[in-house]
Amino acid sequence: GFRRGSTSNQLDELIEHDQLNIERAQGRVFQDFEEGPLTFQPTYKYQPGTDLYEQRPDKKLRAPAWCDRILWLAQEPGHVAQLNYTRSELNISDHKPVMSTFLVTIKDVILSRREEVYEEVMKLLDEFENQSLPMVTLDRINLDFGDVRYDQSVTLPIMITNTGKVVAQFRLVPKLDEVSLCKPWMSVSPTYGMLIPGEQTEIEFTITIDNATAHSLNTSREVLEDILILRLENGRDYYISVTGKYARSCFGMSVDELVLYTDPIRDVPLDPILRAEKYDLNAKAAMCVPKELWRIIDAIYERGLDERDLLSTPGVPEEVYQIRECLDTGAAFNSFSVHSMAEVLISFLSNLSTPIVPASLFPTLDIDAQNIQSFARKFLEDMPPIQYNVFIYIISFFREVLLHRQRNKLSPAKIARICCNCLVSSSQGGVEESASTLHQRRGNMQQIMLHFLETNSI
C-alpha cells in the first residue's frame, strides 16, 4: 500500500494511474486546460484529525488519490505563470486542501484613454468614409429670375464642381409623390451627368412663359416658384430654389377681363387679394373692347392700310417685342413698321385665353346661299356681349382694310382665313369629332366670315 513519506518513484507510479490525467489525455474533460506538476502527495482520503490515510477496518477503504486540483485556462497562455503548486497540512477533514500561486498579466482599462482612442478611430473612419463618398459644390442654390415677360425665355446657370476624391454622378429627381422634375414653365439641361474629381460643368435652368403658363399666372392658379432636387448617387441631395416675377401681359388673357381695366395691364396685380383692393371686380366692363386692341388697330389704321401684303409679311422681332411692351405698360408707340403692328394684332387675337368665337357657335350644317343669312344672324345673336363687341370691331376694321385692296393686295377670302385662324380656336368643335368633320365645320365658319366681310349684314 501507499504510505505517507513514500519515495518519488512510488509517487510517479501513482500519477500514471491518476484518473483525471487519463481522462484529460483522452480529450474527454478539461480540454485545453493546464495543470502544474503534482509534486505533493495525494490529498485524499485521510482520517480526520490526523495525517494518516484511512486504514480503519470499520471504514470503507479507498486508494489515496489527488481529489483536490487546480487547473487553469488562459486566452493568452503567456499571460499566466504558476509560481508554486502544493498542499496544505490541515487535518480537520478527510481532504488536504491544495493551493497555488500565479503571476497573471491582466488588462487594465483607463476609461479616459479609451474614449480618446475611440474618438481617434471614429475620426479616421469618418475621414475614410468621406473620401469614398461623392462630394460636389454648387456656386449657388437660389435662382432669382427677376421679371419674366410673355413669350420670353430666361436662362440662369448653376456651376457644379466635383470636389471629392471619387467620380460624382448627379441627377435631377422629382419631389415626393410627383412625376415631373419641375413645373411646366421650367426646363433644365442637362438633367443628369457625371464628373471626375476636379471637373465642373454648368446646368442651365430656363423659364419660358407660353400661352398656357400666362393664362395660369393671370388666373392665380400658378406662381413662378419651384424647388428642384439635385441628387448625388450615393451622396446627399441639394435643394435648388427658383423664383421669378411675371411681368403681366395682355397676351394670354381673355377679353372679358381686359375690358375691366383702364390702367395698363402691367399695373394690375396678379394677386387676387391685391387686385380686389384696387378694383371693384363686380363692376361692369369699363370699355366696350380692350384698350390694347383699340390701340393696335388704331395704329395700323393711321400708318398703313395701303401697305402691300399687310397681315401676311412678318414683322421685325425686336419691334414686335417693343410693341407688346407698349401695350402692356401704356407707353406710346414709336415709329414701328406696320408689318410689326399687324403681326402683334394677329398674335394678340390668336393667343387670347378664350377665343372670340365660342365652340357653341360652330355651324352644324353645311352653309349655302339659302341659309347663310339666317346662320349669320343667329351667329351674332348667340355671341356673348363682350365677344360680340370685339367681333364687330374687328370685322369693321377688316372691311376698311379691304377698301384698300388694290394697294395692299388683300382679298376677302384671305382675310376670312385669317379671321378663322385668329378668332376661332383650332381645338374647338369637340375632341370626339373626326378631322374631316372638324375641317368641314371650319370651312363653314370661313364662309360665314366671308359673308360678314362682303355684306352689310352687321
Side-chain angles (χ1 to χ4, degrees):
F2 186 84
R3 295 290 182 268
R4 177 176 172 80
S6 296
T7 65
S8 60
N9 290 335
Q10 292 175 311
L11 197 63
D12 292 340
E13 183 180 353
L14 188 59
I15 290 176
E16 291 179 4
H17 295 86
D18 178 70
Q19 186 179 8
L20 179 59
N21 286 343
I22 293 172
E23 293 297 313
R24 287 179 60 206
Q26 296 296 325
R28 288 191 285 265
V29 296
F30 293 106
Q31 294 183 27
D32 299 324
F33 276 76
E34 297 184 52
E35 184 182 22
L38 294 172
T39 59
F40 50 88
Q41 294 181 345
T43 59
Y44 181 81
K45 176 181 182 183
Y46 284 89
Q47 296 179 33
T50 73
D51 291 325
L52 301 174
Y53 288 107
E54 183 63 71
Q55 296 181 12
R56 291 173 292 182
D58 58 329
K59 299 294 183 179
K60 186 175 181 180
L61 299 180
R62 296 180 182 276
W66 287 274
C67 293
D68 304 280
R69 313 285 278 271
I70 296 176
L71 289 80
W72 74 89
L73 176 66
Q75 188 174 19
E76 295 290 339
H79 289 179
V80 179
Q82 190 178 48
L83 302 181
N84 59 62
Y85 187 24
T86 185
R87 74 175 197 174
S88 172
E89 296 304 327
L90 295 174
N91 58 14
I92 60 174
S93 169
D94 57 359
H95 287 260
K96 294 290 187 182
V98 297
M99 52 192 176
S100 181
T101 304
F102 292 89
L103 178 63
V104 181
T105 301
I106 63 173
K107 182 173 68 174
D108 185 16
V109 178
I110 304 173
L111 294 179
S112 59
R113 180 56 184 157
R114 184 176 70 176
E115 292 299 324
E116 292 176 4
V117 172
Y118 177 80
E119 291 179 2
E120 291 175 2
V121 171
M122 292 304 297
K123 183 177 180 181
L124 290 174
L125 290 175
D126 288 342
E127 290 178 357
F128 176 78
E129 184 178 7
N130 289 336
Q131 289 177 358
S132 63
L133 291 176
M135 296 179 63
V136 301
T137 58
L138 308 181
D139 63 346
R140 54 179 168 176
I141 57 173
N142 296 309
L143 296 177
D144 186 352
F145 285 78
D147 288 342
V148 185
R149 288 167 169 75
Y150 177 85
D151 197 25
Q152 180 185 28
S153 294
V154 181
T155 299
L156 291 178
I158 286 182
M159 182 68 71
I160 176 172
T161 305
N162 185 351
T163 56
K165 304 292 185 181
V166 297
V167 171
Q169 298 185 60
F170 65 87
R171 181 180 300 274
L172 272 296
V173 297
K175 293 182 281 294
L176 184 64
D177 297 330
E178 294 189 10
V179 177
S180 301
L181 301 178
C182 53
K183 297 285 187 68
W185 40 264
M186 168 70 68
S187 61
V188 185
S189 179
T191 58
Y192 61 91
M194 181 176 68
L195 300 173
I196 63 174
E199 187 180 9
Q200 60 181 197
T201 190
E202 273 191 351
I203 305 176
E204 292 187 340
F205 298 78
T206 302
I207 289 181
T208 301
I209 307 297
D210 58 13
N211 216 50
T213 301
H215 180 58
S216 297
L217 292 168
N218 284 322
T219 54
S220 302
R221 290 186 287 110
E222 182 63 275
V223 291
L224 295 182
E225 294 179 0
D226 199 5
I227 294 178
L228 286 75
I229 303 175
L230 178 70
R231 176 164 297 166
L232 282 186
E233 185 175 338
N234 299 321
R236 58 166 289 192
D237 287 347
Y238 295 84
Y239 295 89
I240 300 171
S241 174
V242 173
T243 58
K245 182 180 178 182
Y246 177 49
R248 198 172 194 185
S249 173
C250 59
F251 287 75
M253 294 184 66
S254 68
V255 293
D256 299 271
E257 186 173 8
L258 287 173
V259 296
L260 297 176
Y261 310 113
T262 56
D263 294 335
I265 199 63
R266 184 69 53 81
D267 297 337
V268 179
L270 283 169
D271 188 291
I273 297 178
L274 296 178
R275 193 162 64 246
E277 292 175 353
K278 188 173 182 179
Y279 302 99
D280 181 6
L281 301 182
N282 295 320
K284 294 183 179 180
M287 295 167 289
C288 294
V289 297
K291 60 186 178 301
E292 295 83 2
L293 179 62
W294 176 83
R295 288 189 64 193
I296 192 68
I297 285 181
D298 185 63
I300 295 173
Y301 185 85
E302 291 181 355
R303 303 183 187 197
L305 295 183
D306 291 333
E307 188 73 23
R308 185 182 178 89
D309 296 326
L310 183 67
L311 302 176
S312 59
T313 300
V316 180
E318 181 58 29
E319 287 189 353
V320 170
Y321 169 78
Q322 293 179 16
I323 294 169
R324 279 207 306 258
E325 280 293 292
C326 291
L327 291 176
D328 293 335
T329 61
F333 292 135
N334 293 328
S335 55
F336 300 126
S337 160
V338 69
H339 292 299
S340 298
M341 289 284 191
E343 181 177 334
V344 172
L345 171 64
I346 300 303
S347 175
F348 173 81
L349 295 173
S350 301
N351 291 300
L352 291 170
S353 60
T354 54
I356 299 300
V357 178
S360 60
L361 298 185
F362 264 63
T364 55
L365 300 174
D366 287 340
I367 301 296
D368 54 33
Q370 284 72 35
N371 60 19
I372 192 169
Q373 186 68 36
S374 61
F375 265 114
R377 184 167 52 250
K378 181 172 176 51
F379 177 87
L380 294 177
E381 290 174 353
D382 292 344
M383 188 169 284
I386 301 301
Q387 283 77 2
Y388 175 88
N389 293 340
V390 172
F391 182 78
I392 297 300
Y393 185 60
I394 293 171
I395 292 297
S396 299
F397 167 70
F398 283 143
R399 283 180 175 176
E400 189 69 25
V401 170
L402 287 173
L403 294 179
H404 300 256
R405 70 183 73 180
Q406 293 298 326
R407 287 180 290 274
N408 59 35
K409 303 303 179 182
L410 289 172
S411 66
K414 186 172 185 177
I415 293 184
R417 286 195 300 272
I418 293 174
C419 288
C420 279
N421 290 335
C422 65
L423 301 182
V424 181
S425 172
S426 60
S427 62
Q428 291 190 25
V431 295
E432 71 282 354
E433 289 185 318
S434 65
S436 60
T437 302
L438 183 59
H439 179 75
Q440 181 181 5
R441 296 184 68 185
R442 288 181 63 82
N444 292 337
M445 180 61 71
Q446 188 169 322
Q447 291 187 51
I448 293 179
M449 296 295 179
L450 185 61
H451 174 76
F452 286 127
L453 290 169
E454 292 184 324
T455 65
N456 292 320
S457 59
I458 299 179

